Amino acid sequence: DGRVLTAGGRGIKNHAIITAEIWDPATGEWTAVTSMNTAHEKMPLILLPDGRVLVVGGANEVYEHLPTTEIYDVGADLWTTVASMVGNRIWHTGTLLSDGRVLVTGGGKPDGPFLKSAEIYDVDADKWLSAGDMTVSRAQHTATLLKNGLVLVVGGRGKRTTSEIYDPATNSWGSVAETNTPRAEHVASLLPDGRVAVAGGTGSRDTGEVYDP
């Protein structure tokens, strides 16, 4: 509906928080909403096709890595705990696929170890399924849905220059061209022409580059 939900993150006491709020661009004001069932930080929030928001994993207030997943219903102002992931993840990605399922990849502490595994959440069935293993382990990487329904995964901690593609139709991974510069904690954006721009990253990277599928 054009409003913005923010939830969780790290609070002033340096641990995960449980609160959530909504920003309304029409009024410029923030409004507190119902808190999550579990505190989360360093996790993705994914907007689902029906307008609900999925929160996946992260760390809690005592720094435990979580498999916990919950969904926010904005109409009801209600958080509902749903099926947990198979793995515990932090600094992972969450990507809405073209068929409405959600792909979650990698994760791990900045100093490792990192995860190669990936999972898919079936929202309708409330069930997690394996999406196989990436070619390398990754954390603080990006995952971008391409116009053809494939997912481009780029970089990660450990000076990763590798990239790979996930195909939901075959549930398989394949390597593609490497970036010119190692990148982690960077941003990736799908351009209108189908290419993907990546920029910045750990180490105060001031460069950007574009991937042409």
Side-chain angles (χ1 to χ4, degrees):
D1 61 10
R3 294 181 296 162
V4 180
L5 171 74
T6 183
R10 178 170 287 198
I12 58 175
K13 294 183 179 179
N14 209 32
H15 58 64
I17 56 177
I18 200 169
T19 55
E21 47 192 304
I22 286 179
W23 181 69
D24 188 339
T27 63
E29 295 181 352
W30 289 92
T31 302
V33 296
T34 300
S35 293
M36 297 181 289
N37 296 308
T38 303
H40 297 259
E41 67 160 331
K42 301 181 179 67
M43 77 297 184
L45 285 80
I46 302 99
L47 180 64
L48 301 177
D50 62 7
R52 296 181 299 163
V53 177
L54 177 71
V55 172
V56 181
N60 63 14
E61 63 271 27
V62 292
Y63 310 109
E64 295 173 328
H65 295 185
L66 301 172
T68 310
T69 304
E70 47 189 302
I71 290 179
Y72 179 66
D73 185 327
V74 63
D77 187 23
L78 178 68
W79 291 92
T80 301
T81 299
V82 294
S84 293
M85 293 182 291
V86 174
N88 297 14
R89 298 180 191 270
I90 184 174
W91 290 119
H92 48 298
T93 65
T95 307
L96 180 67
L97 302 176
S98 300
D99 60 9
R101 297 180 301 162
V102 176
L103 172 70
V104 170
T105 69
K109 296 185 292 184
D111 56 351
F114 313 129
L115 301 176
K116 293 177 68 175
S117 63
E119 305 182 45
I120 283 188
Y121 180 59
D122 186 323
V123 181
D124 294 334
D126 186 24
K127 186 176 182 179
W128 288 91
L129 305 169
S130 172
D133 286 347
M134 297 181 287
T135 58
V136 298
S137 56
R138 301 180 191 272
Q140 298 183 339
H141 51 297
T142 55
T144 305
L145 180 69
L146 304 179
K147 287 193 170 184
N148 59 8
L150 305 180
V151 178
L152 173 70
V153 173
V154 177
R157 297 288 294 191
K159 298 184 178 180
R160 300 277 191 261
T161 57
T162 58
S163 299
E164 50 192 300
I165 293 278
Y166 175 72
D167 186 341
T170 60
N171 197 34
S172 61
W173 294 90
S175 297
V176 292
E178 295 192 359
T179 56
N180 296 299
T181 302
R183 297 188 187 273
E185 288 191 287
H186 53 288
V187 294
S189 298
L190 181 67
L191 301 177
D193 63 4
R195 296 180 300 162
V196 178
V198 298
T202 302
S204 300
R205 304 283 186 207
D206 61 359
T207 59
E209 47 192 301
V210 175
Y211 174 70
D212 187 334

